Amino acid sequence: MTHEHAPHIIGYGKLTAVWLALLALTVLTVWITRLDLGVNRVWGALAIASAKSGLVIAFFMHMKYEGWLLRWLLFVALLTLAIFIGFTFFDVLYR
Amino acid sequence: MNHAVHKDYAGAKLGMWLFLFTELLLFGGLFLLYAAYLSRYPHEFTAGGRELDVVFGTANTVILLTSSLLAAMAVTAIQRDARGRTMLLLGGTVLCAALFMLIKYLEWSAKIRHGIYPNSPGLAAGPPGESVFFSLYYLTTGLHGMHVLVGGALLTWVASRVRSGAIHGGDYVLLENGALYWHLVDLIWIFIFPLYYLIL
Amino acid sequence: MSRADQAEATASSFWNDTGRTGIASWIFSTDHKRVGLLYFYSVLGFFLIAVALGLLLRIELMAPGRTIMGPQTYNALFTVHGVVMIFLFIIPGFPGAFGNLIMPIQLGARDVAFPRLNLFSWWLYIIGAVTILTALFTGGGPPDTGWTFYVPFSSRTGTNVSLAVFGVFIVGFSSILTGVNFVTTIHRLRAEGMSWGRLPLFVWSLYATAWVQILATPILGITLVLIMAERLLGTGLFDPVRGGDPLMFQHLFWIYSHPAVYIMILPAMGVISDIIPVFSRKPIFGYKMIAFSSLAIAAAGSLVWGHHMYTSGMSDTAILVFSFLTFIVAIPSAIKVFNWVSTLYKGSISLEAPMLFALSFILLFAIGGLTGLILGAAATDIHVHDTHFVVGHFHYTILGGSGFAFFAAMHYWLPKFYGRRYAEKPAIIAWGLMFVGFNITYFSMMVLGLKGMPRRYYDYLPEFAPLNLASTIGSWIMVSGLVLLLVNLFRGLLKGEPVGSNPWGGATLEWSIPTPPPTENFAEEPVVSHGPYDFKGAGIP
C-alpha cells in the first residue's frame, strides 16, 4: 500500500468544467490582444495566462488538494524565476 | 534486516514536483531573454508576431488544453481502477501530442519555406529585432516540442504499464507523475502562445 | 598488504555483505555508500588532473615571456583547469561524494529517496566528463574561452566549444537530479526523532545546496544550449550586429554561476560545523543561526550575480543594486565564522588533521570572504576586476575554503568507510606544507592584482616577475604537501591502524553504526533522542 491517506479524486465533471473555463480564457486572451492597449496588451495577456496556469496547477495537477509544503515550494520556485527576470531589468531598463 | 519493498508515494510526488521546478527554470531562461528583448524591440516583436499563424497557434493551444484534460481524467480513472478507460484517456493524450507536433511541423516548414529561420539571409537583411524574435521563437518552440515528444513517449510507456497491471488503483504514482510532466508541457505553451502569437 | 588484513578490517560490511564484489557490482550499485565512493574517486581523479594543469600554468607564469608553452596552449590550459576544477571536482564533489556517503546515515535512513536515480546521476556525471575530455582532443581542440565561455569569443572561436559545453550540460543535469534526490531524502527519510532541529549541520548545508542545484542549474543548462545554438544554428541572440546583446549572456551565465559558488562552499561549511564541535568536545554555538544562515546564504547568494559585471557596460542602477545586495551575503557567512569561533572558546581542543584543516578553513575563507567585499564594492572592483586579485580571491574561498574542507572531510570520514586510519604526524606535516604553500601562491596573486597584473593574460610586465616566481614556488610547496597528504591517507586507509565505530567521539548517527557500515546502515531504524552535538546525551565522554 502506498498511500498514507485516501487520495482526493477529482471527478470528470469538475475536470471538464475547468477545461471549459480554460477555453473561455483562451478566447479572452485572443480578444484582449486585439484591443489597442499598447504595452498593456502584454500585461493583460500575462495575467490571463497566469489565471489559466493557476487552474491547470490547482485542478489538473491537484495542487488545490496538496499540503502546504508543495504549495510553498512552488511559490519559492516562481519567486526565484521572477527575481531572475526582474533583477535583470535593473540593467535592461536603465542603460 | 529484511524489508518489504516500501514505497513512498508522497516522496515520489515531491521528487517529481522538484523536477518540474527545474523545467520551469530551464524555460524561464528563454522567457528572460524574451522579456529583455521585447522591451528593446517592441515594434519588431509585434511585426514578427504578425507573421506567425494565429489559427495554428490557437489550435495548438486548444489541443494541449484538451490533452491536459484527458491526462487529468486518466488519473481519476486509475484512482477508480478503471483500467480500460485509463488507457483510452492516455491514448487520447498521446494523440493530441501527435496532432500538436503535426501542426508544429506545418508551421515550421511554412516559415522555413518563406526564408524565416535562424541565420537565414532574409532575417539577416531585415531589422535586427525580428531576427532576435524568430531565433527565440525557434529555440523556445523547439525546446518545447522536444518536451512534447518526451512527454508523449513517457505517457505511452505509462499506458503500457497500465495495461500490464503494474500501475493500478493501489499504486499509480507513475501515472500521476507522468501526467504532472504532461501538464508542465501544457503550462509552458500557455505562456508561449500569447507571447509569440498574440503580441501584435 | 595482506588479504587477511584487509578482510579483517572490512569483515561483513557494505564492501561485501551483499555477496557482490566485482566491478559491475560497484558501477551498477544503488547503495549510497558505493555511489559515494564512485563519486569520490572520480572527482579526486579529475581534481588531480586539474592540479597538474594548474602546475603547468604556474610554470609558464614563473617568468615573463614564453617559458614552456605558447599563448594558445596557455588559453586552453586555464580554460580546462577551470572547467575541470569547477564542473568535475568542486560542484559535484561535496554532494556526490560526502553527501552520498554520509547524509543518509546522518538522517537514520537506509539510503536516499531515489537510489536508482542516484546511480543515474553518477553515470551522467561520467558521461559528461568523458564528453568534456573528448572535446579536448577532437575538433578544433580544447576550448580557449575561459570557463566562463563569454560571447562573442565563444561564438566564434574555432576550438571545440560546442562539444565541451554539451559535456558540461550533461554534468549539470547530474547535479540537478542529485539536488532533487537530496531535498526529497531530507524531507521524507528522517528517522523517528530526527526533527529538523536535530539535523546535523552538514545535512542542513546539503539541503540548502540542493535547492541551489535545483533552481539555478537549469539556467546554466539553457545558457549552454544557447552557446551551442549561437555556434551551430547562428541564432545571433548575443550578436550585436543581429540585434543581440552580449550582456544578456553574462546575465544568464552568472545567474547560475554565482549561486554555483554557494554549491561549492555551503557543504564545505557544513563539514566544518560538524568537525569543530567534535574536536572541541563542545556543542556547536548557535545551532539555529548556523542552520538558518545556510538557507540565507543560498537565498541571498541568488540575488547578487551582477557583481561579476560591474565593468561590462551594465546600467548604473544595476551596479548599485547588486553591490548593495552583495554586502548582505557577507552577513550570514560572518554569522557562521563567529559561531565557529565561539564554539572553540573554552572547548577542549585537539589538533588532529581534520581539525587543522577546519581551523585553517576559517582563516582562509575569512580572507577570501573579505577580499570578496573589495570585489563586491563597485568602486574598488573597477580597479581589480579581471586582475589576479580575483584569482587570489576565488582560490582563497574555493581552495582555502572548499578544498581544505574537502581534505578535512577525507581525514574525518573515510576511516569510517575503510575501517582503518591514516598516520597523524605525516598528515599534520602535509597540512603544514599545504597551508604555507597555499598562502605563498595565492597571496602573491592578490598583491599582483592590486599592482595591476591582469588575469588570463599569457604574458606580463617585468615588474610582476618576482611575485610570479614566488607564487610558482608556493605552488610546488603546496603540491608536495598534497602528495604527502594523499599518500599518507590512502596508505592508512588500506594498511593503517584499524578504527572502531567512533574514533573521534562524534554524536551524529554515522558514528553509532559499525565501522565500516553494513549495507543496510542500521540493524533497526534508529530512534533519535538527542541533538547532533550533544555528546552527553549520546553517552560519549
Side-chain angles (χ1 to χ4, degrees):
Chain A
M1 191 52 206
T2 59
H3 313 306
E4 294 123 346
H5 57 273
H8 188 277
I9 305 183
I10 307 183
Y12 299 119
K14 190 169 218 166
L15 290 172
T16 310
V18 171
W19 175 71
L20 289 170
L22 288 168
L23 291 179
L25 286 172
T26 305
V27 170
L28 189 65
T29 320
V30 178
W31 176 76
I32 209 171
T33 51
R34 302 300 94 168
L35 304 178
D36 186 16
L37 297 169
V39 72
N40 291 315
R41 268 183 334 214
V42 182
W43 294 112
L46 280 178
I48 299 176
S50 302
K52 286 165 81 178
S53 342
L55 284 173
V56 171
I57 292 173
F59 293 101
F60 286 173
M61 299 174 89
H62 282 229
M63 190 57 103
K64 189 169 192 306
Y65 309 99
E66 298 288 356
W68 59 268
L69 176 68
L70 227 36
R71 258 180 270 198
W72 242 110
L73 297 183
L74 174 62
F75 173 70
V76 166
L78 290 172
L79 180 66
T80 305
L81 180 59
I83 287 176
F84 288 164
I85 299 181
F87 278 33
T88 305
F89 271 77
F90 279 123
D91 176 29
V92 169
L93 276 184
Y94 298 107
R95 290 260 189 97
Chain B
M1 177 173 160
N2 183 22
H3 323 257
V5 174
H6 161 62
K7 295 193 183 182
D8 179 9
Y9 168 74
K13 202 158 35 152
L14 171 62
M16 190 64 205
W17 271 102
L18 293 173
F19 179 69
L20 293 185
F21 296 160
T22 71
E23 293 277 29
L24 191 71
L25 267 300
L26 183 77
F27 281 94
L30 288 175
F31 284 115
L32 184 156
L33 276 184
Y34 177 96
Y37 286 132
L38 174 67
S39 79
R40 179 181 297 198
Y41 300 117
H43 300 296
E44 292 86 339
F45 269 45
T46 304
R50 232 175 256 136
E51 302 205 45
L52 293 178
D53 191 323
V54 177
V55 173
F56 275 161
T58 312
N60 264 350
T61 306
V62 171
I63 288 171
L64 278 188
L65 289 174
T66 308
S67 73
S68 252
L69 168 68
L70 297 176
M73 284 181 165
V75 174
T76 299
I78 200 70
Q79 285 174 314
R80 293 178 177 164
D81 234 339
R83 227 182 55 171
R85 181 174 290 183
T86 306
M87 293 197 298
L88 217 54
L89 288 164
L90 286 175
T93 311
V94 176
L95 199 59
C96 287
L99 213 51
F100 179 92
M101 291 310 295
L102 174 65
I103 294 183
K104 181 105 279 138
Y105 167 76
L106 294 173
E107 270 189 288
W108 274 29
S109 44
K111 286 271 154 320
I112 293 171
R113 247 178 292 127
H114 283 112
I116 298 176
Y117 51 88
N119 211 14
S120 70
L123 283 179
E130 269 194 57
S131 162
V132 167
F133 176 84
F134 283 108
S135 283
L136 279 174
Y137 166 77
Y138 275 104
L139 280 174
T140 312
T141 57
L143 190 63
H144 178 262
M146 279 201 269
H147 282 74
V148 171
L149 289 173
V150 168
L154 180 64
L155 290 178
T156 305
W157 174 76
V158 165
S160 78
R161 306 296 282 157
V162 172
R163 191 152 78 106
S164 74
I167 298 177
H168 56 82
D171 181 4
Y172 55 86
V173 73
L174 271 176
L175 192 158
E176 205 172 344
N177 282 349
L180 282 176
Y181 186 83
W182 187 255
H183 293 307
L184 177 87
V185 170
D186 185 25
L187 282 174
I188 306 287
W189 185 263
I190 285 176
F191 283 91
I192 290 180
F193 173 54
L195 291 176
Y196 284 93
Y197 291 84
L198 300 182
I199 306 296
L200 46 88
Chain C
M1 103 121 187
S2 86
R3 274 186 187 279
D5 265 350
Q6 175 72 77
E8 178 219 303
T10 59
S12 191
S13 66
F14 77 98
W15 289 94
N16 50 35
D17 62 8
T18 57
R20 302 169 68 216
T21 48
I23 288 194
S25 78
W26 277 82
I27 63 175
F28 296 116
S29 170
T30 57
D31 175 4
H32 70 95
K33 299 179 285 299
R34 290 193 175 196
V35 175
L37 286 178
L38 286 174
Y39 264 109
F40 175 72
Y41 286 108
S42 316
V43 303
L44 189 68
F46 285 113
F47 171 67
L48 293 175
I49 292 174
V51 166
L53 296 179
L55 283 175
L56 288 172
L57 285 170
R58 281 284 7 133
I59 292 176
E60 173 54 39
L61 287 175
M62 189 161 77
R66 182 194 169 106
T67 310
I68 54 167
M69 64 182 79
Q72 180 62 33
T73 308
Y74 178 79
N75 291 352
L77 271 192
F78 71 66
T79 302
V80 179
H81 170 79
V83 169
V84 173
M85 279 296 192
I86 289 177
F87 291 116
L88 298 184
F89 171 57
I90 200 63
I91 286 181
F94 269 112
F98 293 109
N100 266 312
L101 279 173
I102 303 297
M103 186 260 291
I105 307 177
Q106 284 193 334
L107 293 179
R110 258 180 66 218
D111 209 308
V112 292
F114 307 117
R116 286 172 299 181
L117 193 70
N118 206 17
L119 176 68
F120 183 56
S121 282
W122 180 75
W123 272 102
L124 282 177
Y125 165 82
I126 293 296
I127 293 170
V130 168
T131 307
I132 293 174
L133 287 177
T134 309
L136 306 183
F137 300 107
T138 56
D144 52 354
T145 56
W147 78 275
T148 48
F149 296 113
Y150 271 22
V151 296
F153 186 54
S154 66
S155 311
R156 300 184 194 163
T157 177
T159 58
N160 209 347
V161 169
S162 295
L163 190 62
V165 304
F166 183 59
V168 176
F169 180 89
I170 297 172
V171 175
F173 194 41
S174 161
S175 186
I176 285 174
L177 294 179
T178 298
V180 169
N181 217 339
F182 280 17
V183 168
T184 309
T185 303
I186 296 170
H187 273 276
R188 300 293 304 166
L189 298 189
R190 287 168 288 122
E192 192 183 325
M194 179 59 79
S195 60
W196 287 88
R198 286 190 182 144
L199 287 177
L201 289 167
F202 183 54
V203 176
W204 269 109
S205 73
L206 287 170
Y207 182 73
T209 304
W211 272 110
V212 180
Q213 286 174 284
I214 290 173
L215 294 177
T217 315
I219 302 284
L220 174 74
I222 197 68
T223 307
L224 297 170
V225 166
L226 286 165
I227 297 176
M228 290 189 276
E230 290 288 288
R231 289 179 70 85
L232 303 173
L233 301 176
T235 40
L237 285 169
F238 306 120
D239 179 359
V241 168
R242 291 194 288 136
D245 182 358
L247 252 59
M248 291 312 301
F249 173 85
Q250 292 191 26
H251 278 293
L252 283 173
F253 180 82
W254 288 112
I255 286 176
Y256 165 74
S257 298
H258 189 79
V261 314
Y262 298 108
I263 298 176
M264 303 175 207
I265 199 64
L266 280 171
M269 290 170 155
V271 170
I272 304 308
S273 295
D274 264 19
I275 286 180
I276 295 222
V278 171
F279 289 82
S280 313
R281 308 314 304 160
K282 240 187 102 199
I284 192 95
F285 180 92
Y287 169 92
K288 283 208 184 94
M289 285 310 286
I290 299 188
F292 167 74
S293 70
S294 294
L295 295 174
I297 289 173
S302 303
L303 308 179
V304 302
W305 73 83
H307 66 223
H308 297 267
M309 298 167 59
Y310 292 148
T311 62
S312 64
M314 195 167 70
S315 79
D316 286 343
T317 309
I319 292 176
L320 287 170
V321 169
F322 282 116
S323 183
F324 173 70
L325 291 171
T326 302
F327 277 71
I328 293 188
V329 184
I331 299 174
S333 309
I335 287 176
K336 286 191 196 269
V337 172
F338 292 143
N339 285 8
W340 289 325
V341 174
S342 304
T343 306
L344 294 171
Y345 179 66
K346 288 203 179 167
S348 173
I349 299 183
S350 62
L351 293 175
E352 283 127 312
M355 186 58 156
L356 283 171
F357 279 106
L359 290 176
S360 46
F361 170 100
I362 300 178
L363 174 68
L364 298 176
F365 179 74
I367 295 175
L370 290 171
T371 53
L373 289 176
I374 297 174
L375 290 162
T380 44
D381 180 71
I382 308 288
H383 180 63
V384 288
H385 177 78
D386 265 352
T387 67
H388 264 76
F389 187 82
V390 181
V391 183
H393 157 76
F394 67 68
H395 281 94
Y396 264 87
T397 47
I398 299 184
L399 176 54
S402 302
F404 271 49
F406 198 83
F407 304 137
M410 283 165 63
H411 287 86
Y412 183 56
W413 275 318
L414 287 180
K416 178 78 195 174
F417 291 87
Y418 280 87
R420 291 181 188 277
R421 56 161 296 156
Y422 60 89
E424 196 62 61
K425 224 192 256 163
I428 294 177
I429 296 174
W431 168 82
L433 285 169
M434 291 195 66
F435 182 77
V436 168
F438 171 90
N439 280 294
I440 296 175
T441 310
Y442 297 107
F443 202 81
S444 308
M445 286 189 197
M446 295 211 275
V447 178
L448 282 168
L450 284 170
K451 283 164 163 273
M453 178 182 171
R455 69 183 287 205
R456 291 181 171 161
Y457 275 34
Y458 170 67
D459 198 2
Y460 54 80
L461 297 174
E463 71 207 58
F464 299 134
L467 279 172
N468 269 291
L469 179 60
S471 177
T472 300
I473 295 175
S475 72
W476 295 338
I477 299 173
M478 181 172 58
V479 171
S480 61
L482 177 65
V483 169
L484 177 59
L485 183 158
L486 292 172
V487 168
N488 180 48
L489 179 66
F490 288 111
R491 188 194 300 166
L493 293 176
L494 293 176
K495 293 203 275 197
E497 232 180 84
V499 294
S501 59
N502 197 353
W504 309 118
T508 41
L509 284 175
E510 72 271 30
W511 308 111
S512 70
I513 61 176
T515 293
T519 298
E520 300 286 303
N521 295 340
F522 300 92
E524 284 169 12
E525 185 184 317
V527 178
V528 179
S529 55
H530 62 82
Y533 312 109
D534 181 3
F535 302 112
K536 274 205 207 97
I540 299 165

